[in-house]
Amino acid sequence: MSSTGSSDLVIVANRLPVDRVELNDGTPGWRRSPGGLVTAIEPVMRANEGTWIGWPGGTEQDLKPFEDDGMDLVPMTMTDREIENHYEGFSNGTLWPLYHDLVAKPEFHREWWDAYVAVNRRFAEKAAEHASEDATVWVHDYQMQLVPQMLRELRPDLRIGFYLHIPFPPAELFQQLPWRRQILEGLLGADLVGFQLPGAAANFVRLVRQRVGHKTHRDLIYLPDGRTVRAGAFPISIDAAGFEELSRSEPVGKRAAEIREALGSPRKVFLGIDRLDYTKGIYARLRAFSELIADGHFDVEDAVFVQVAVPSREQVEQYRILRDEIDRLVGRINGDLGRIGRPAISYLHSSYPREEMAALYRMADIMVVTPYRDGMNLVAKEYVACRFEDDGALVLSEFAGAADELRQAWLINPYDINGMKAALLEAYQADDRELGRRMRAMRKTISQHDVAAWADSFMAELAAVRPTHGKAVRPARRS
């Protein structure tokens, strides 16, 4: 396939950076999606006249490419059956639990795999169509793991990068996948395969050596066609300065005080903010908190736990079951331990805009992030960014990628309820000096390694992998 496109940089992701919404006049429109990925990539896209290819959600057909806030966007359509088999099925019923250490049991269905292949091929063809000669294509995440190889076959002139935002499992787990070799070969279409942590990159290289048979040396994979593929760790981050600026704003400060007052102005507020997902450890953390009250370490006058559970994949049976389990647990805890006007847990099953999230971060004394497995977990970093007075405590699962950087958090094993209780109590009892020492160190880490640095480091490495091939991507001009 020859080049017909005009974009020197093409982003391929499952979702567009905008969501379909109904405007005030009743007509359909677009709204910028929340999330760090857009913040990271947008400046690089603008500097390179980039194009973003993704699914806008839903089943709306015949959507044309359009521009939104200066970004060229190409919407991909999906049928109900493709959503069921590719997105809810293979992506989130097979790969998601498999890549998260089998926290839930993955399902292996051939019709799911067929849909995954078909959707990946359509995305690859669209990227080939829009990329200019010798362009750079950056493919994102577990829903698109076959795109690099498919795109390489269509457009061998391209420089291709792939980044996996979730964990990559060890060989003992990955080998359960019936299509393990196809996934590995799909990723090897890229020149650079990026992961959150060094261990994930090492898992990938080891699997390629064992299952595909290519020669490897450290982080390099040597292919029979003469190409060299590099696997590396690029820990993703957040717009730290943007979150701090938001948390310092007067409206956010006022809102934080309102929330705290509405909670009854307790001595300490614990906070959890997660997608409602079985990997996040919500049930265990609420249980640990309730046991601290039942054991007499503090009562509902002293502390309250605010848990925000953002709705997620509600058509999937496992997620509906999880929601029911947490609803019952919260009801039982509040029934046993709460008082009139003083529930032990304030539970909110809803999503909130960035400003409300910043107010929650600023309001909370102790952030509790306890996933059983997480690629990174940006909530932990967002909380740290919002603590501009160097106060507050972070209780963090050692199985979140963020634990590699935020070493001054109270690190816990989420499977150890007693250990979690001890860490929550230590954070509750810590004095200002201890809190300040820990928070200053964490804030320094995230300010030095923000989302812009992440995007720039990946792009620089991608350019270096094949220095004689393709156009160089211009770095974003950052103020």
Side-chain angles (χ1 to χ4, degrees), residues 274-465:
D274 311 84
R275 275 190 318 101
L276 186 58
D277 191 286
Y278 49 76
T279 64
K280 300 299 185 182
I282 299 171
Y283 193 98
R285 87 173 62 131
L286 296 181
R287 204 175 126 205
F289 177 78
S290 70
E291 288 186 14
L292 286 171
I293 297 177
D295 294 345
H297 293 291
F298 45 73
D299 65 23
V300 291
E301 302 293 331
D302 299 316
V304 64
F305 200 118
V306 176
Q307 176 63 56
V308 176
V310 178
S312 175
R313 302 167 190 164
E314 296 192 296
Q315 298 81 9
V316 180
E317 180 66 17
Q318 285 175 314
Y319 289 78
R320 289 199 294 264
I321 292 169
L322 175 66
R323 180 181 179 181
D324 290 344
E325 287 175 347
I326 291 175
D327 284 346
R328 285 194 296 271
L329 177 67
V330 170
R332 189 164 67 247
I333 290 170
N334 285 337
D336 291 346
L337 303 173
R339 297 175 197 157
I340 293 174
R342 290 280 189 162
I345 296 168
S346 287
Y347 177 62
L348 305 161
H349 182 249
S350 183
S351 59
Y352 293 98
R354 201 163 174 256
E355 293 76 14
E356 185 76 356
M357 299 278 278
L360 287 164
Y361 291 139
R362 185 165 169 181
M363 171 277 307
D365 302 289
I366 302 156
M367 188 80 215
V368 188
V369 181
T370 59
Y372 295 118
R373 172 64 67 190
D374 221 334
M376 178 53 62
N377 195 290
L378 298 180
V379 162
K381 293 186 174 185
E382 289 170 1
Y383 177 74
V384 170
C386 289
R387 307 307 296 188
F388 59 86
E389 294 181 335
D390 294 333
D391 59 356
L394 174 63
V395 177
L396 178 62
S397 165
E398 60 194 44
F399 302 132
D404 273 30
E405 297 172 88
L406 304 179
R407 306 302 301 175
Q408 295 79 21
W410 273 270
L411 297 177
I412 59 103
N413 174 358
Y415 294 95
D416 176 8
I417 296 289
N418 284 342
M420 195 188 308
K421 287 169 63 177
L424 291 173
L425 192 57
E426 277 186 37
Y428 177 84
Q429 295 173 337
D431 59 32
D432 291 345
R433 184 176 177 184
E434 174 75 359
L435 295 172
R437 179 186 67 79
R438 290 174 181 251
M439 189 57 70
R440 276 190 296 274
M442 291 190 289
R443 284 176 54 74
K444 182 178 180 182
T445 296
I446 65 161
S447 66
Q448 291 176 344
H449 304 282
D450 67 357
V451 74
W454 166 78
D456 287 347
S457 67
F458 186 92
M459 282 300 187
E461 196 64 49
L462 179 56
V465 171

Side-chain angles (χ1 to χ4, degrees), residues 24 29 33 38 40 44 73 80 133 135 142 177 197 243 272 276 280 285 288 291 324 328 350 364 454 459:
N24 292 333
S33 305
V38 186
V44 187
L73 306 177
D80 283 326
E133 195 73 31
Y142 62 106
L177 186 64
L197 299 176
F243 266 99
L276 186 58
K280 300 299 185 182
R285 87 173 62 131
E291 288 186 14
D324 290 344
R328 285 194 296 271
S350 183
W454 166 78
M459 282 300 187

Side-chain angles (χ1 to χ4, degrees), residues 205 209 215-222:
V205 173
R209 187 171 60 247
K215 183 182 176 185
T216 67
H217 177 67
R218 294 183 179 172
D219 60 352
L220 298 177
I221 300 162
Y222 302 99

